[in-house]
Amino acid sequence: MTKETYNGKNVIWESKTKQIILVIISFIFTFSTLWVGNYKQTHFWIVIILFGLSGIFILARLLNPKNIFVTYKSKIGKEILSKRDEEFQYRTGIFDYDEKGFEITNEQIIKYYNWSDIETVYGYKIDLITYDEICMDVFTNDNEKFTITESTDGWFQFIDRLSKNINSIKISWYIDIAQPPFEQNLTLLYDRLGREDDEIRKLINKNEVNKP
């Protein structure tokens, strides 16, 4: 994972005050154990190694001028999160666009689609126990299907460009589909032929059954 930086410094999402307290506690335990000096006991060396090395490691991070400690509620933390969200929304990710369509590069598979190739689009949510993830199934005129989710790299740019190239797909569809939580809310967003939802689902299920 790429290290997050801010103004040329490595961002560490931890409270600096708490790190200082941990250093003090670690060195108190270490020096107390050294003072007692029961060198022949196993727990002596466990404490020295565990607390001593931990204290040194945390202290080294604190003294490193290339590190900056921030919390999510701090002013700098909020600035970093805002910048991160903005960059995420403008990332093209696994997609590469031109005037007629887009190319998807995923797991060394490269596939190009024209916007006019898109025949049907469904939006829905999947329940991941502690949270929902919004998904989109895109069906093309050659009976292919690809699925992207809000965790797909380039998600925001794709749904934005999709709505601009297929005007009947509202940019706000994923907001509408978010409620109520933990329900699939399977929704037909677009069908080029203007077919009804039931008809499309029957065709999709039939194609799935007939796949080799």
Side-chain angles (χ1 to χ4, degrees):
M1 183 178 179
T2 304
K3 289 184 178 180
E4 191 167 20
T5 60
Y6 178 78
N7 290 340
K9 294 187 177 183
N10 300 319
V11 176
I12 299 176
W13 290 97
E14 296 173 10
S15 168
K16 189 173 184 177
T17 302
K18 289 183 179 179
Q19 296 304 298
I20 293 173
I21 292 173
L22 286 174
V23 170
I24 293 172
I25 292 174
S26 296
F27 286 156
I28 286 175
F29 273 96
T30 302
F31 291 128
S32 297
T33 304
L34 287 171
W35 182 267
V36 174
N38 293 324
Y39 303 103
K40 294 182 180 181
Q41 296 185 8
T42 303
H43 73 269
F44 169 87
W45 294 106
I46 293 175
V47 171
I48 293 297
I49 294 173
L50 182 62
F51 287 95
L53 292 180
S54 295
I56 293 171
F57 173 75
I58 298 172
L59 183 61
R61 289 207 306 173
L62 283 168
L63 297 178
N64 189 340
K66 294 182 179 180
N67 294 336
I68 180 173
F69 289 79
V70 297
T71 62
Y72 293 107
K73 294 182 179 180
S74 67
K75 182 179 179 180
I76 295 178
K78 291 177 181 178
E79 290 178 2
I80 295 172
L81 290 175
S82 177
K83 181 181 177 183
R84 182 198 292 177
D85 289 341
E86 184 177 349
E87 289 177 349
F88 183 69
Q89 289 184 17
Y90 285 97
R91 281 179 60 85
T92 55
I94 63 173
F95 304 93
D96 187 22
Y97 302 94
D98 61 24
E99 294 180 356
K100 294 183 178 180
F102 56 95
E103 185 176 80
I104 301 178
T105 303
N106 192 16
E107 297 178 354
Q108 298 181 341
I109 298 175
I110 301 175
K111 180 69 177 181
Y112 181 86
Y113 299 95
N114 288 312
W115 293 112
S116 58
D117 292 336
I118 295 177
E119 189 163 287
T120 306
V121 181
Y122 272 100
Y124 58 96
K125 296 201 310 289
I126 55 175
D127 183 358
L128 297 178
I129 309 300
T130 57
Y131 66 96
D132 289 336
E133 183 162 38
I134 298 175
C135 307
M136 175 188 285
D137 284 347
V138 180
F139 298 86
T140 63
N141 52 18
D142 56 0
N143 291 324
E144 287 192 10
K145 181 189 85 169
F146 64 87
T147 300
I148 67 169
T149 74
E150 57 185 321
S151 61
T152 300
D153 192 11
W155 160 265
F156 282 108
Q157 275 297 299
F158 181 79
I159 63 174
D160 178 59
R161 292 171 188 250
L162 179 67
S163 67
K164 289 176 179 176
N165 285 275
I166 302 178
N167 295 329
S168 59
I169 300 180
K170 298 188 300 181
I171 186 63
S172 61
W173 70 266
Y174 68 96
I175 299 175
D176 300 332
I177 220 168
Q179 298 297 329
F182 304 112
E183 290 190 14
Q184 186 182 36
N185 292 340
L186 182 64
T187 304
L188 176 63
L189 302 176
Y190 168 76
D191 185 69
R192 185 166 57 88
L193 302 178
R195 294 169 296 184
E196 295 294 329
D197 184 33
D198 290 342
E199 179 185 355
I200 298 170
R201 293 195 196 190
K202 288 179 182 178
L203 288 173
I204 291 173
N205 291 334
K206 182 179 178 181
N207 290 334
E208 291 292 331
V209 171
N210 292 335
K211 279 184 179 180

